[in-house]
Amino acid sequence: MPVPDIGRRTVLAAAAAAPAALALPSRASATPSRSGKPRLLPGGGDLGPNVLVFDPSTPGIQARLDEVFQQQESAQFGTGRYALLFKPGTYNGLNAQLGFYTSIMGLGLSPDDTTINGDVTVDAGWFNGNATQNFWRSAENLALVPANGTNRWAVAQAAPFRRMHVRGGLNLSPTGYGWASGGYIADSRVDGQVGPYSQQQWYTRDSAIGSWLNGVWNMVFSGVEGAPAQSFPNPPYTTLATTPVSREKPFLYVSGSEFRVFLPEKRTDARGVTWGNGTPRGTSLPLSQFYVAKPGVSAATLNQALAQGLHLLLTPGIYHLDQPVQVNRANTVVLGLGYATLVPHSGVTALRVADVDGVRLAGFLIDAGPVNSPTLLEVGPSGASRDHSANPTTVQDVFVRIGGAGAGKATTSMVINSRHTIVDHTWVWRADHGTGVGWETNRADYGVVVNGDDVLCTGLFVEHFNKYDVQWNGQRGRTIFFQNEKAYDAPNQAAIQNGSVKGYAAYKVGDGVTLHEGWGLGSYCYYNVDPTIVQHSGFAAPNAPGVRFHDLLVVSLGGNGQYEHVINDTGAPTSGTSTTPSTVVSYP
């Protein structure tokens, strides 16, 4: 595959230099019974050809891993999707290299149930040592004993490292210490040192580490044992002792010969891993309570399964939707494997959630269709107001893409209307490279719009939208870690003019909001079409005593566009081509 056009990611981090082929099953649908009513859909079943399940006695594991990697290594906008599942036990001498749309997971209740004496590797050889496009891959629920003592995980956005135990160190940079733009770790233990080296930003939540080496622009920690002390901006560490509310992502595991899905319980003021003292706290569901969806199934069938009371397990592949998937029942789980991808057609919304308790959305990608959708994901209907504090909805490793794999459009990507929703790691991306990319070609005005009160975002990555990347209208919202780039491709200053204001802020808190708080938020600009564009500020918020921000930064990448301020009229302007951040430690 030819190397794609990378736009800004070819020039982005002088400041970040290191110190010293898918088979689709036939369309499935429910056949009518003799009474004329649809037959009940069965729960459980086979996970399909793109879920590869290994146990320690499986022959040829390395060869199979290499085969998947060869197919996926540079298939950035390809159709292949894979989940690599390892049953509990010990595996020796493996190096699982992960390419695009590939997830590797252990199948124990604890990461230590599944040990790989070897590595789970992400590197950037396919892209000449540049790791800024190592998107859409994940590792979960494994213990690693790295061959040389340190595991390499050189990823960019949408590449979570969850529930992992590294019995050694973790290197977040590519071979040669090239550019890197990640990343996210949660519920993991790294016994040795984490070395970000060239990583521009990173968020680590509810974990334990031996030590942390360095920081470039924005390193954020919440609930991390062993995290460096608060010191932003030099070094650029934002450290919270605990995470206010968290509930880990659902995960697949085996009990005897059966698959089950574990649902971790909610924690408040969380710190450290959930699995350190034996069996994690939570509940589990048998696979028989899930409709195991295969690519080619219709949206109507998915909705029938949900109406029957089944949960959804989306096996790897691409799902074309002619109507929204509608989640109406409290405590429903929609869990994707191997970056299962939902593509709405004819301008529909891909997935909607009612204003109910405890829905868990996790592990899938929504890819905008060619006809503009008003929204792609809606959590709660407009006006949702019920209290979900005891049992919130969680949105975890749910990613959104507008363009890149082909022309796509959506006015707003993700709308959060339900109160107390936790968005725990998302990357909402209007593509800056690939196919179907242009200021109007993949038009998408807003990335994430939060209307609900009491919403918490932990690990929020939103980039390149035509207007506001994040617009937050709800009260008592909180964000821990935000990474943003403004849209590269604005043709001129007039195209981004926001009334009398130069440009739309990356993160805008609504004028009527009186309570809001954010920690560790960064916005970068790279206006490469017109480098003379000026952005008034990265952040905009009402001047109210209850609206508070900690550790903000803006960066001009190579002098392609500049910021006048960091937030509102506060903070020094960026200047020159040095990619030196302008920072505000506390606002107001």
Side-chain angles (χ1 to χ4, degrees):
M1 174 179 174
V3 174
D5 172 25
I6 64 162
R8 137 345 242 166
R9 295 184 190 268
T10 57
V11 299
L12 70 56
L22 187 63
L24 295 181
S26 59
R27 181 176 295 273
S29 61
T31 57
S33 65
R34 291 183 179 179
S35 67
K37 296 180 180 179
R39 297 183 189 275
L40 288 179
L41 294 165
D46 177 75
L47 297 181
N50 291 74
V51 175
L52 310 181
V53 182
F54 304 107
D55 66 47
S57 67
T58 302
I61 297 176
Q62 186 65 57
R64 191 69 180 100
L65 297 175
D66 291 346
E67 180 183 358
V68 172
F69 178 64
Q70 183 177 17
Q71 177 182 323
Q72 298 301 113
E73 179 183 12
S74 59
Q76 181 171 184
F77 298 110
T79 56
R81 305 283 188 274
Y82 287 92
L84 313 172
L85 309 186
F86 285 76
K87 290 184 177 180
T90 300
Y91 300 78
N92 293 314
L94 294 182
N95 181 17
Q97 300 181 82
L98 299 188
F100 287 97
Y101 314 109
T102 304
S103 298
I104 187 169
M105 292 174 276
L107 289 172
L109 270 177
S110 165
D112 290 326
D113 293 340
T114 310
T115 298
I116 292 178
N117 288 309
D119 297 84
V120 171
T121 301
V122 177
D123 207 343
W126 74 279
F127 204 25
N128 301 313
N130 178 346
T132 60
Q133 289 186 31
N134 283 346
F135 313 136
W136 305 306
R137 62 202 75 197
S138 65
E140 184 174 0
N141 204 26
L142 292 165
L144 303 178
V145 183
N148 70 352
T150 300
N151 187 77
R152 185 180 302 278
W153 185 254
V155 297
Q157 290 84 353
F161 196 80
R162 288 186 181 268
R163 205 177 167 74
M164 296 287 287
H165 185 186
V166 181
R167 298 178 195 162
L170 187 63
N171 183 341
L172 304 179
S173 71
T175 299
Y177 302 102
W179 301 323
S181 182
Y184 176 91
I185 293 171
D187 200 22
S188 294
R189 181 179 297 276
V190 179
D191 294 345
Q193 184 176 73
V194 179
Y197 298 103
S198 53
Q199 282 286 356
Q200 295 162 322
Q201 70 277 316
W202 201 276
Y203 175 51
T204 307
R205 178 182 63 70
D206 299 351
S207 293
I209 60 175
S211 61
W212 190 273
L213 178 64
N214 73 296
V216 175
W217 290 336
N218 192 29
M219 302 285 159
V220 180
F221 309 84
S222 67
V224 178
E225 298 168 354
Q230 169 73 32
S231 59
F232 187 90
N234 187 26
Y237 298 149
T238 298
T239 302
L240 288 72
T242 61
T243 304
V245 187
S246 62
R247 191 177 67 190
E248 299 304 330
K249 174 182 170 289
F251 62 91
L252 199 64
Y253 74 104
V254 289
S255 177
S257 60
E258 296 181 349
F259 285 110
R260 298 181 68 88
V261 173
F262 193 83
L263 307 177
E265 70 174 23
K266 186 187 75 170
R267 297 198 290 170
T268 56
D269 298 320
R271 182 173 173 85
V273 300
T274 63
W275 46 268
N277 297 310
T279 303
R281 297 174 66 90
T283 58
S284 70
L285 297 169
L287 199 62
S288 60
Q289 292 185 23
F290 285 78
Y291 178 68
V292 179
K294 307 287 177 37
V297 71
S298 69
T301 299
L302 296 175
N303 283 325
Q304 183 192 338
L306 291 166
Q308 278 181 215
L310 293 171
H311 307 275
L312 295 182
L313 185 72
L314 305 173
T315 65
I318 298 173
Y319 297 75
H320 296 278
L321 307 176
D322 60 359
Q323 61 180 271
V325 176
Q326 182 68 50
V327 178
N328 293 325
R329 180 171 48 90
N331 301 310
T332 297
V333 179
V334 180
L335 176 61
L337 299 178
Y339 287 82
T341 302
L342 307 179
V343 182
H345 291 271
S346 302
V348 304
T349 297
L351 193 149
R352 288 192 175 116
V353 180
D355 193 19
V356 295
D357 273 358
V359 172
R360 304 183 196 226
L361 308 179
F364 56 89
L365 172 64
I366 299 174
D367 211 352
V371 177
N372 184 74
S373 294
T375 60
L376 293 174
L377 172 65
E378 295 178 12
V379 178
S382 178
S385 60
R386 295 176 59 185
D387 186 321
H388 303 294
S389 56
N391 186 12
T393 285
T394 44
V395 181
Q396 299 177 285
D397 302 347
V398 174
F399 307 116
V400 178
R401 178 172 68 195
I402 318 285
K409 294 184 179 183
T411 304
T412 304
S413 291
M414 183 183 297
V415 181
I416 308 296
N417 292 317
S418 286
R419 293 180 62 195
H420 302 101
T421 299
I422 300 171
V423 180
D424 175 45
H425 189 227
T426 188
W427 184 40
V428 181
W429 185 57
R430 177 180 167 265
D432 60 277
H433 62 270
T435 59
V437 171
W439 184 248
E440 297 294 344
T441 307
N442 61 330
R443 181 84 194 186
D445 284 351
Y446 306 102
V448 175
V449 174
V450 179
N451 297 317
D453 294 340
D454 308 291
V455 171
L456 170 66
C457 290
T458 52
L460 183 60
F461 299 73
V462 189
E463 300 189 289
H464 305 151
F465 286 83
N466 295 77
K467 292 185 178 179
Y468 292 125
D469 299 276
V470 173
Q471 182 163 1
W472 203 301
N473 302 316
Q475 296 285 2
R476 296 177 298 280
R478 292 175 291 184
T479 295
I480 304 173
F481 180 89
F482 172 67
Q483 187 266 331
N484 165 264
E485 291 174 350
K486 294 302 301 172
Y488 303 165
D489 54 348
N492 49 50
Q493 187 77 43
I496 64 162
Q497 193 68 14
N498 180 14
S500 62
V501 179
K502 299 173 185 175
Y504 288 80
Y507 188 108
K508 163 70 172 173
V509 179
D511 294 341
V513 173
T514 57
L515 293 169
H516 187 91
E517 196 159 10
W519 296 262
L521 315 184
S523 176
Y524 320 150
C525 74
Y526 180 74
Y527 287 115
N528 63 327
V529 174
D530 181 358
T532 69
I533 288 176
V534 175
Q535 175 86 27
H536 180 70
S537 64
F539 304 90
N543 287 305
V547 177
R548 297 177 295 176
F549 289 91
H550 315 273
D551 301 356
L552 301 175
L553 70 145
V554 295
V555 179
S556 169
L557 301 173
N560 290 273
Q562 301 289 349
Y563 294 91
E564 290 181 326
H565 300 286
V566 179
I567 179 168
N568 296 345
D569 299 323
T570 298
T574 59
S575 63
T577 61
S578 66
T579 68
T580 301
S582 179
T583 61
V584 168
V585 173
S586 183
Y587 185 88

